[in-house]
Amino acid sequence: MMSDLTAQQIIDHQRYPIADLNSPLRADLISNIQADLAKDGCAVIKNFLSEQGLQDMLNEALARKDQAYYSAKKHCNVYLGDGDDSLPADHPRNVFLPRTNGFITADLLTEDTAARILYHWQPLAAFLADCLGKPELFIYEDPVSNMIVNLGKPGQQFNWHYDTNEFTITMLLKPALSGGHFEYVPNLRTPQDECYDEVRKVLSGDRSRITRLELNAGDLQFFLGRFSLHQVTENTGDDDRLLLIMSFTEKPGVIGSLYRVKDLYGKVTDAHYENERQRVRADELLD
Ligand SMILES: [Fe+2]
């Protein structure tokens, strides 16, 4: 299956003319997003995808959903790492939560897909960079996980975690009929501090800092997921939830760690082994 749309046709470019650098609509959009991101690290562009763009992306994902990978690791801490016996049992590193969602990996979303066409469209990265006040953004070079579809079948969930990348955008292709809510805790940690006490509170059921987002199919969500703990709650409907995730980086050539990619997506490439030898990473946080 292939899309015959151009990148510009995949989105609602009339309403959101992101490729038109002189458009006042583009400038307005950017300042609205900047205000929302400054508030809590999250912003949404309603109906960003065109009707046909959404349909193509959904069909692409549905055609590949039987190839989705489910991690063998069914319980994870929020860092996707190992526990630590020297720490108390309720320390966040020792709290393992069920994680049952699957991923349609980037290698399956071939060159002719609408998802890939949009991801590689330079005006998108330029627009995102402007929204974030960064000089430039690059696509995440990880060949397995740079652009993936999160598949939540009925009964599945994607429990509390942080993202490896500082910056991710998602596009909801199909919401759950019930449940499957995106929830987040804005800026729960910093590059210098894991803030374990605050993480522990969330994991023990304190909902006071949690925000739940209302998303519809075709919406684009900006999210600073490296510092904001987040989850997708259990899909309690009787049909799948599908979410396209695109990651970008400030430096070119960044890819995921060998072990994390293998754990999450079930496959790695030579690039991951090479990366293990020469790590290009932005910070020293645990995951
Ligand atoms: Fe995430």
Side-chain angles (χ1 to χ4, degrees):
M1 184 175 318
M2 59 188 292
S3 177
D4 51 15
L5 300 180
T6 64
Q8 199 157 313
Q9 291 168 332
I10 291 167
I11 68 171
D12 184 349
H13 197 266
Q14 201 143 14
R15 187 170 172 194
Y16 303 117
I18 63 171
D20 180 357
L21 299 183
N22 299 315
S23 161
L25 285 178
R26 182 183 190 272
D28 282 352
L29 184 59
I30 290 170
S31 53
N32 289 339
I33 288 163
Q34 286 176 336
D36 288 347
L37 288 177
K39 206 168 56 191
D40 68 356
C42 184
V44 175
I45 305 177
K46 290 281 175 202
N47 293 303
F48 180 71
L49 298 178
S50 67
E51 223 169 284
Q52 193 58 50
L54 171 61
Q55 200 56 55
D56 282 7
M57 284 182 179
L58 179 60
N59 289 340
E60 290 161 8
L62 290 173
R64 292 162 173 82
K65 73 172 189 161
D66 292 342
Q67 299 173 70
Y69 179 75
Y70 291 89
S71 176
K73 217 189 231 181
K74 297 297 181 207
H75 290 80
C76 304
N77 65 20
V78 305
Y79 312 103
L80 295 178
D82 297 327
D84 183 341
D85 289 344
S86 69
L87 298 168
D90 71 340
H91 188 281
R93 286 181 64 176
N94 287 330
V95 176
F96 286 77
L97 302 167
R99 181 177 309 188
T100 51
N101 70 296
F103 288 110
I104 300 167
T105 50
D107 51 307
L108 300 175
L109 295 161
T110 39
E111 265 177 36
D112 51 7
T113 59
R116 183 162 294 271
I117 291 167
L118 183 59
Y119 184 50
H120 286 263
W121 190 43
Q122 202 277 333
L124 178 65
F127 169 70
L128 301 176
D130 285 349
C131 290
L132 291 166
K134 310 274 189 200
E136 198 172 358
L137 281 179
F138 302 88
I139 66 162
Y140 183 40
E141 289 289 349
D142 194 284
V144 172
S145 67
N146 61 0
M147 181 193 52
I148 55 180
V149 174
N150 181 352
L151 169 63
K153 291 183 178 172
Q156 295 179 345
Q157 91 274 69
F158 191 1
N159 233 312
W160 294 113
H161 68 284
Y162 294 106
D163 293 341
T164 304
N165 287 334
E166 192 176 332
F167 179 62
T168 295
I169 58 169
T170 63
M171 295 168 206
L172 189 61
L173 303 180
K174 187 176 164 63
L177 295 175
S178 125
H181 299 291
F182 179 81
E183 296 184 335
Y184 65 107
V185 186
N187 302 316
L188 194 60
R189 71 176 178 181
T190 71
Q192 294 77 33
D193 186 353
E194 292 282 1
C195 303
Y196 286 126
D197 283 345
E198 291 300 311
V199 178
R200 181 191 285 117
K201 283 187 205 165
V202 176
L203 298 183
S204 48
D206 179 352
R207 294 191 55 89
S208 58
R209 290 183 63 184
I210 296 174
T211 303
R212 175 179 284 188
L213 198 65
E214 290 305 324
L215 287 171
N216 297 303
D219 291 353
L220 181 152
Q221 180 196 0
F222 285 68
F223 188 60
L224 305 178
R226 183 125 187 88
F227 307 111
S228 297
L229 197 66
H230 55 286
Q231 72 165 346
V232 180
T233 65
E234 184 182 339
N235 179 351
T236 52
D238 58 8
D239 202 355
D240 302 333
R241 176 186 189 271
L242 290 151
L243 178 81
L244 177 65
I245 305 174
M246 295 178 175
S247 297
F248 294 83
T249 59
E250 280 186 70
K251 291 187 287 187
V254 178
I255 76 168
S257 88
L258 178 68
Y259 302 105
R260 180 163 168 146
V261 171
K262 200 168 206 166
D263 262 1
L264 276 177
Y265 309 108
K267 56 189 122 180
V268 287
T269 64
D270 289 348
H272 294 97
Y273 288 100
E274 179 56 26
N275 179 54
E276 202 50 32
R277 290 186 284 271
Q278 314 174 7
R279 286 207 131 198
V280 182
R281 278 284 290 274
D283 60 51
E284 297 300 325
L285 290 168
L286 277 181
D287 52 325

